PDB file of all heavy atoms in Angstrom:
ATOM      1  N   LEU V   5       7.838   2.312 -21.279  1.00 58.00           N
ATOM      2  CA  LEU V   5       6.436   2.576 -21.011  1.00 58.00           C
ATOM      3  C   LEU V   5       5.641   1.476 -21.694  1.00 58.00           C
ATOM      4  O   LEU V   5       5.816   1.205 -22.877  1.00 58.00           O
ATOM      5  CB  LEU V   5       6.046   3.933 -21.584  1.00 58.00           C
ATOM      6  CG  LEU V   5       4.665   4.465 -21.249  1.00 58.00           C
ATOM      7  CD1 LEU V   5       4.563   4.781 -19.776  1.00 58.00           C
ATOM      8  CD2 LEU V   5       4.397   5.709 -22.068  1.00 58.00           C
ATOM      9  N   LEU V   7       2.022   0.012 -22.773  1.00 55.00           N
ATOM     10  CA  LEU V   7       0.653   0.443 -23.018  1.00 55.00           C
ATOM     11  C   LEU V   7      -0.242  -0.770 -23.169  1.00 55.00           C
ATOM     12  O   LEU V   7       0.007  -1.647 -23.978  1.00 55.00           O
ATOM     13  CB  LEU V   7       0.596   1.281 -24.303  1.00 55.00           C
ATOM     14  CG  LEU V   7      -0.787   1.798 -24.711  1.00 55.00           C
ATOM     15  CD1 LEU V   7      -1.281   2.802 -23.693  1.00 55.00           C
ATOM     16  CD2 LEU V   7      -0.728   2.398 -26.096  1.00 55.00           C
ATOM     17  N   VAL V  26       7.322   1.348 -25.313  1.00 80.00           N
ATOM     18  CA  VAL V  26       8.074   2.446 -25.923  1.00 80.00           C
ATOM     19  C   VAL V  26       9.084   2.934 -24.892  1.00 80.00           C
ATOM     20  O   VAL V  26       8.839   2.848 -23.685  1.00 80.00           O
ATOM     21  CB  VAL V  26       7.147   3.623 -26.340  1.00 80.00           C
ATOM     22  CG1 VAL V  26       6.157   3.168 -27.398  1.00 80.00           C
ATOM     23  CG2 VAL V  26       6.423   4.205 -25.146  1.00 80.00           C
ATOM     24  N   ALA V  34       2.406  10.339 -21.033  1.00 80.00           N
ATOM     25  CA  ALA V  34       1.862   9.750 -22.255  1.00 80.00           C
ATOM     26  C   ALA V  34       0.440  10.225 -22.489  1.00 80.00           C
ATOM     27  O   ALA V  34      -0.332  10.395 -21.539  1.00 80.00           O
ATOM     28  CB  ALA V  34       1.891   8.224 -22.163  1.00 80.00           C
ATOM     29  N   PHE V  35       0.090  10.435 -23.772  1.00 82.00           N
ATOM     30  CA  PHE V  35      -1.255  10.839 -24.161  1.00 82.00           C
ATOM     31  C   PHE V  35      -1.697   9.966 -25.323  1.00 82.00           C
ATOM     32  O   PHE V  35      -0.960   9.809 -26.302  1.00 82.00           O
ATOM     33  CB  PHE V  35      -1.294  12.315 -24.574  1.00 82.00           C
ATOM     34  CG  PHE V  35      -0.857  13.261 -23.491  1.00 82.00           C
ATOM     35  CD1 PHE V  35       0.473  13.630 -23.376  1.00 82.00           C
ATOM     36  CD2 PHE V  35      -1.771  13.766 -22.593  1.00 82.00           C
ATOM     37  CE1 PHE V  35       0.875  14.494 -22.378  1.00 82.00           C
ATOM     38  CE2 PHE V  35      -1.372  14.631 -21.596  1.00 82.00           C
ATOM     39  CZ  PHE V  35      -0.052  15.003 -21.489  1.00 82.00           C
ATOM     40  N   LEU V  36      -2.891   9.423 -25.216  1.00 80.00           N
ATOM     41  CA  LEU V  36      -3.428   8.556 -26.257  1.00 80.00           C
ATOM     42  C   LEU V  36      -4.540   9.289 -26.987  1.00 80.00           C
ATOM     43  O   LEU V  36      -5.457   9.830 -26.374  1.00 80.00           O
ATOM     44  CB  LEU V  36      -3.980   7.274 -25.627  1.00 80.00           C
ATOM     45  CG  LEU V  36      -4.401   6.156 -26.576  1.00 80.00           C
ATOM     46  CD1 LEU V  36      -3.201   5.618 -27.343  1.00 80.00           C
ATOM     47  CD2 LEU V  36      -5.074   5.045 -25.785  1.00 80.00           C
ATOM     48  N   SER V  37      -4.466   9.334 -28.323  1.00 82.00           N
ATOM     49  CA  SER V  37      -5.497   9.976 -29.140  1.00 82.00           C
ATOM     50  C   SER V  37      -5.752   9.111 -30.358  1.00 82.00           C
ATOM     51  O   SER V  37      -4.893   9.001 -31.237  1.00 82.00           O
ATOM     52  CB  SER V  37      -5.055  11.378 -29.566  1.00 82.00           C
ATOM     53  OG  SER V  37      -6.015  11.987 -30.404  1.00 82.00           O
ATOM     54  N   ALA V  38      -6.945   8.473 -30.385  1.00 81.00           N
ATOM     55  CA  ALA V  38      -7.299   7.558 -31.472  1.00 81.00           C
ATOM     56  C   ALA V  38      -6.202   6.505 -31.597  1.00 81.00           C
ATOM     57  O   ALA V  38      -5.899   5.811 -30.639  1.00 81.00           O
ATOM     58  CB  ALA V  38      -7.545   8.321 -32.757  1.00 81.00           C
ATOM     59  N   ASP V  39      -5.571   6.395 -32.771  1.00 84.00           N
ATOM     60  CA  ASP V  39      -4.531   5.384 -32.967  1.00 84.00           C
ATOM     61  C   ASP V  39      -3.131   5.976 -32.854  1.00 84.00           C
ATOM     62  O   ASP V  39      -2.172   5.434 -33.392  1.00 84.00           O
ATOM     63  CB  ASP V  39      -4.700   4.707 -34.329  1.00 84.00           C
ATOM     64  CG  ASP V  39      -4.536   5.695 -35.492  1.00 84.00           C
ATOM     65  OD1 ASP V  39      -4.547   6.912 -35.236  1.00 84.00           O
ATOM     66  OD2 ASP V  39      -4.405   5.247 -36.645  1.00 84.00           O
ATOM     67  N   ARG V  40      -3.003   7.085 -32.137  1.00 89.00           N
ATOM     68  CA  ARG V  40      -1.707   7.708 -31.929  1.00 89.00           C
ATOM     69  C   ARG V  40      -1.386   7.796 -30.438  1.00 89.00           C
ATOM     70  O   ARG V  40      -2.242   8.137 -29.626  1.00 89.00           O
ATOM     71  CB  ARG V  40      -1.665   9.122 -32.521  1.00 89.00           C
ATOM     72  CG  ARG V  40      -1.722   9.162 -34.041  1.00 89.00           C
ATOM     73  CD  ARG V  40      -0.434   8.654 -34.666  1.00 89.00           C
ATOM     74  NE  ARG V  40      -0.435   8.816 -36.124  1.00 89.00           N
ATOM     75  CZ  ARG V  40      -0.877   7.897 -36.966  1.00 89.00           C
ATOM     76  NH1 ARG V  40      -1.372   6.758 -36.502  1.00 89.00           N
ATOM     77  NH2 ARG V  40      -0.830   8.103 -38.270  1.00 89.00           N
ATOM     78  N   LEU V  41      -0.152   7.461 -30.101  1.00 87.00           N
ATOM     79  CA  LEU V  41       0.365   7.638 -28.748  1.00 87.00           C
ATOM     80  C   LEU V  41       1.429   8.727 -28.791  1.00 87.00           C
ATOM     81  O   LEU V  41       2.354   8.667 -29.609  1.00 87.00           O
ATOM     82  CB  LEU V  41       0.984   6.334 -28.225  1.00 87.00           C
ATOM     83  CG  LEU V  41       1.687   6.421 -26.867  1.00 87.00           C
ATOM     84  CD1 LEU V  41       0.679   6.683 -25.753  1.00 87.00           C
ATOM     85  CD2 LEU V  41       2.479   5.156 -26.581  1.00 87.00           C
ATOM     86  N   PHE V  42       1.284   9.740 -27.924  1.00 90.00           N
ATOM     87  CA  PHE V  42       2.245  10.831 -27.851  1.00 90.00           C
ATOM     88  C   PHE V  42       2.947  10.770 -26.503  1.00 90.00           C
ATOM     89  O   PHE V  42       2.297  10.705 -25.455  1.00 90.00           O
ATOM     90  CB  PHE V  42       1.550  12.180 -28.031  1.00 90.00           C
ATOM     91  CG  PHE V  42       0.862  12.313 -29.360  1.00 90.00           C
ATOM     92  CD1 PHE V  42      -0.490  12.052 -29.488  1.00 90.00           C
ATOM     93  CD2 PHE V  42       1.580  12.672 -30.494  1.00 90.00           C
ATOM     94  CE1 PHE V  42      -1.122  12.145 -30.711  1.00 90.00           C
ATOM     95  CE2 PHE V  42       0.956  12.777 -31.723  1.00 90.00           C
ATOM     96  CZ  PHE V  42      -0.402  12.509 -31.834  1.00 90.00           C
ATOM     97  N   VAL V  43       4.267  10.781 -26.539  1.00 87.00           N
ATOM     98  CA  VAL V  43       5.077  10.686 -25.332  1.00 87.00           C
ATOM     99  C   VAL V  43       5.858  11.986 -25.177  1.00 87.00           C
ATOM    100  O   VAL V  43       6.604  12.390 -26.079  1.00 87.00           O
ATOM    101  CB  VAL V  43       6.036   9.487 -25.401  1.00 87.00           C
ATOM    102  CG1 VAL V  43       6.950   9.458 -24.188  1.00 87.00           C
ATOM    103  CG2 VAL V  43       5.234   8.186 -25.488  1.00 87.00           C
ATOM    104  N   THR V  58       7.363  12.740 -28.942  1.00 93.00           N
ATOM    105  CA  THR V  58       7.493  11.609 -29.859  1.00 93.00           C
ATOM    106  C   THR V  58       6.119  11.036 -30.157  1.00 93.00           C
ATOM    107  O   THR V  58       5.299  10.859 -29.253  1.00 93.00           O
ATOM    108  CB  THR V  58       8.393  10.510 -29.261  1.00 93.00           C
ATOM    109  OG1 THR V  58       9.630  11.082 -28.865  1.00 93.00           O
ATOM    110  CG2 THR V  58       8.636   9.411 -30.270  1.00 93.00           C
ATOM    111  N   ALA V  59       5.867  10.743 -31.422  1.00 94.00           N
ATOM    112  CA  ALA V  59       4.585  10.178 -31.845  1.00 94.00           C
ATOM    113  C   ALA V  59       4.776   8.739 -32.297  1.00 94.00           C
ATOM    114  O   ALA V  59       5.755   8.412 -32.977  1.00 94.00           O
ATOM    115  CB  ALA V  59       3.991  11.005 -32.981  1.00 94.00           C
ATOM    116  N   TYR V  60       3.814   7.892 -31.906  1.00 93.00           N
ATOM    117  CA  TYR V  60       3.812   6.484 -32.309  1.00 93.00           C
ATOM    118  C   TYR V  60       2.434   6.147 -32.879  1.00 93.00           C
ATOM    119  O   TYR V  60       1.415   6.652 -32.402  1.00 93.00           O
ATOM    120  CB  TYR V  60       4.075   5.558 -31.122  1.00 93.00           C
ATOM    121  CG  TYR V  60       5.406   5.756 -30.443  1.00 93.00           C
ATOM    122  CD1 TYR V  60       5.559   6.700 -29.416  1.00 93.00           C
ATOM    123  CD2 TYR V  60       6.511   4.991 -30.801  1.00 93.00           C
ATOM    124  CE1 TYR V  60       6.783   6.878 -28.781  1.00 93.00           C
ATOM    125  CE2 TYR V  60       7.740   5.169 -30.174  1.00 93.00           C
ATOM    126  CZ  TYR V  60       7.867   6.107 -29.167  1.00 93.00           C
ATOM    127  OH  TYR V  60       9.075   6.275 -28.537  1.00 93.00           O
ATOM    128  N   ALA V  61       2.398   5.260 -33.867  1.00 90.00           N
ATOM    129  CA  ALA V  61       1.142   4.700 -34.351  1.00 90.00           C
ATOM    130  C   ALA V  61       0.871   3.422 -33.568  1.00 90.00           C
ATOM    131  O   ALA V  61       1.741   2.560 -33.456  1.00 90.00           O
ATOM    132  CB  ALA V  61       1.225   4.396 -35.844  1.00 90.00           C
ATOM    133  N   VAL V  62      -0.337   3.310 -32.996  1.00 84.00           N
ATOM    134  CA  VAL V  62      -0.700   2.142 -32.193  1.00 84.00           C
ATOM    135  C   VAL V  62      -1.539   1.198 -33.051  1.00 84.00           C
ATOM    136  O   VAL V  62      -2.659   1.531 -33.426  1.00 84.00           O
ATOM    137  CB  VAL V  62      -1.486   2.558 -30.931  1.00 84.00           C
ATOM    138  CG1 VAL V  62      -1.835   1.333 -30.102  1.00 84.00           C
ATOM    139  CG2 VAL V  62      -0.672   3.552 -30.110  1.00 84.00           C
ATOM    140  N   LEU V  70       7.195  -0.373 -30.139  1.00 85.00           N
ATOM    141  CA  LEU V  70       6.709   0.447 -31.245  1.00 85.00           C
ATOM    142  C   LEU V  70       7.839   1.309 -31.781  1.00 85.00           C
ATOM    143  O   LEU V  70       8.668   1.806 -31.014  1.00 85.00           O
ATOM    144  CB  LEU V  70       5.568   1.355 -30.783  1.00 85.00           C
ATOM    145  CG  LEU V  70       4.270   0.701 -30.324  1.00 85.00           C
ATOM    146  CD1 LEU V  70       3.276   1.774 -29.886  1.00 85.00           C
ATOM    147  CD2 LEU V  70       3.673  -0.149 -31.428  1.00 85.00           C
ATOM    148  N   ILE V 340      -5.304   7.243 -18.942  1.00 64.00           N
ATOM    149  CA  ILE V 340      -4.155   6.350 -18.950  1.00 64.00           C
ATOM    150  C   ILE V 340      -3.602   6.282 -17.536  1.00 64.00           C
ATOM    151  O   ILE V 340      -3.180   7.286 -16.969  1.00 64.00           O
ATOM    152  CB  ILE V 340      -3.076   6.830 -19.927  1.00 64.00           C
ATOM    153  CG1 ILE V 340      -3.638   6.871 -21.357  1.00 64.00           C
ATOM    154  CG2 ILE V 340      -1.855   5.921 -19.870  1.00 64.00           C
ATOM    155  CD1 ILE V 340      -2.654   7.389 -22.368  1.00 64.00           C
TER     156      ILE V 340
END
Side-chain angles (χ1 to χ4, degrees):
L5 188 67
L7 179 66
V26 297
F35 301 90
L36 189 65
S37 177
D39 63 347
R40 292 289 186 270
L41 174 68
F42 299 96
V43 176
T58 307
Y60 299 87
V62 181
L70 295 179
I340 299 178

